[in-house]
Amino acid sequence: MFSLWMQYPDRNEERRIVAETSRILGEQVDTVFDRDALLSSAEAIKRMPASDQVVNYAVDLVRGTREGGGDWRHYIEWGAGPRARQCLVHGAKALAAMEGLPVPGCVHVRRIAPAVLRHRIVLNYAAAADEVHVNDVVSQVINAVDDTPRADDRSEEHTSELQSRAYL
């Protein structure tokens, strides 16, 4: 669903990791989230509604990796597919839930988009020759796709109705 990128630790961090993990064997780990709480949270997030604006923005972001004339388009061999749209909305819902919000906004889709899109886009040889990284292309797509409400979004009253429902 997501591609999380982490940098290698520097030498001092690596030394600290080795020193601390060699002492962990006798340590007690406290449970902070049990299985039932995890499953219950996942189910609540699935039930959380998403506005038409959020859904349309997710669709437009994914389509932006396959269509359009942006500066990035000539670097993409293969764009993101339909599952990326679903992952954008699910990830946005999870971010909103972690912030205690009843529904996600386009800001949540934008925040999760790099983790969702970067491993679903295949760059071509032109990108390699120009030393363009997939993160650069994803950033360009995110910056180019408009998240303002569209004519086919539902009314503000519908969005207010979604926000008034208690899903968490």
Side-chain angles (χ1 to χ4, degrees), residues 24-44:
I24 289 181
L25 296 176
E27 304 253 348
Q28 177 65 34
V29 178
D30 296 328
T31 301
V32 293
F33 212 72
D34 66 16
R35 177 186 177 277
D36 291 337
L38 177 64
L39 293 174
S40 175
S41 296
E43 189 57 39

Side-chain angles (χ1 to χ4, degrees), residues 4-55:
L4 304 178
W5 289 9
M6 298 176 61
Q7 300 295 320
Y8 283 109
D10 65 27
R11 188 172 196 287
N12 287 334
E13 290 170 329
E14 235 173 310
R15 290 186 73 232
R16 184 181 54 78
I17 290 168
V18 171
E20 288 179 9
T21 56
S22 65
R23 293 189 302 241
I24 289 181
L25 296 176
E27 304 253 348
Q28 177 65 34
V29 178
D30 296 328
T31 301
V32 293
F33 212 72
D34 66 16
R35 177 186 177 277
D36 291 337
L38 177 64
L39 293 174
S40 175
S41 296
E43 189 57 39
I45 289 168
K46 283 181 194 174
R47 288 192 321 263
M48 181 186 279
S51 70
D52 286 358
Q53 182 182 2
V54 166
V55 171

Side-chain angles (χ1 to χ4, degrees), residues 72-78 121-134 137:
W72 69 88
R73 188 61 195 111
H74 69 280
Y75 290 125
I76 298 176
E77 182 72 25
W78 195 262
I121 296 172
V122 177
L123 300 182
N124 59 26
Y125 291 110
D130 291 345
E131 297 181 356
V132 172
H133 192 272
V134 70
V137 173

Side-chain angles (χ1 to χ4, degrees), residues 57 60-61 64-65 67 69-76 110 113-114 117 121 123 127 130-146:
Y57 182 55
D60 292 345
L61 273 179
T65 69
E67 302 173 353
D71 293 339
W72 69 88
R73 188 61 195 111
H74 69 280
Y75 290 125
I76 298 176
R110 236 184 335 276
L117 296 176
I121 296 172
L123 300 182
D130 291 345
E131 297 181 356
V132 172
H133 192 272
V134 70
N135 284 340
D136 302 324
V137 173
V138 168
S139 292
Q140 289 179 17
V141 171
I142 292 168
N143 291 332
V145 175
D146 189 14

